[in-house]
Amino acid sequence: MSNKKCYYAFEDTSGNLIEFQATSLQQAMMIKKKKAQELGIYKEAFELTSISKKPSQSA
């Protein structure tokens, strides 16, 4: 496996979307936890919606 970064998108049931680059799913889960804490939302509320090479156009 290479160290190329992918874009990981997570969304909660309220429609809050967080998207960022990470080198692995494990790293993405750690970043998701930090971003959820910043937003004051439980990390479990966010579900992975996509993994892609390019950022989504919805943001």
Side-chain angles (χ1 to χ4, degrees):
M1 235 185 172
S2 66
N3 270 347
K4 293 184 179 178
K5 289 189 175 186
C6 291
Y7 286 89
Y8 293 82
F10 294 87
E11 189 171 357
D12 72 1
T13 55
S14 300
N16 294 313
L17 177 70
I18 53 176
E19 184 178 65
F20 49 83
Q21 277 188 302
T23 56
S24 68
L25 182 57
Q26 183 178 6
Q27 182 185 38
M29 298 304 268
M30 290 172 49
I31 294 169
K32 175 190 80 161
K33 179 181 177 182
K34 287 180 184 178
K35 289 192 176 280
Q37 285 177 337
E38 289 171 8
L39 294 170
I41 301 170
Y42 291 109
K43 69 179 187 330
E44 292 84 6
F46 285 95
E47 298 212 7
L48 181 64
T49 57
S50 71
I51 302 172
S52 64
K53 299 288 182 192
K54 297 180 181 180
S56 68
Q57 299 299 316
S58 63

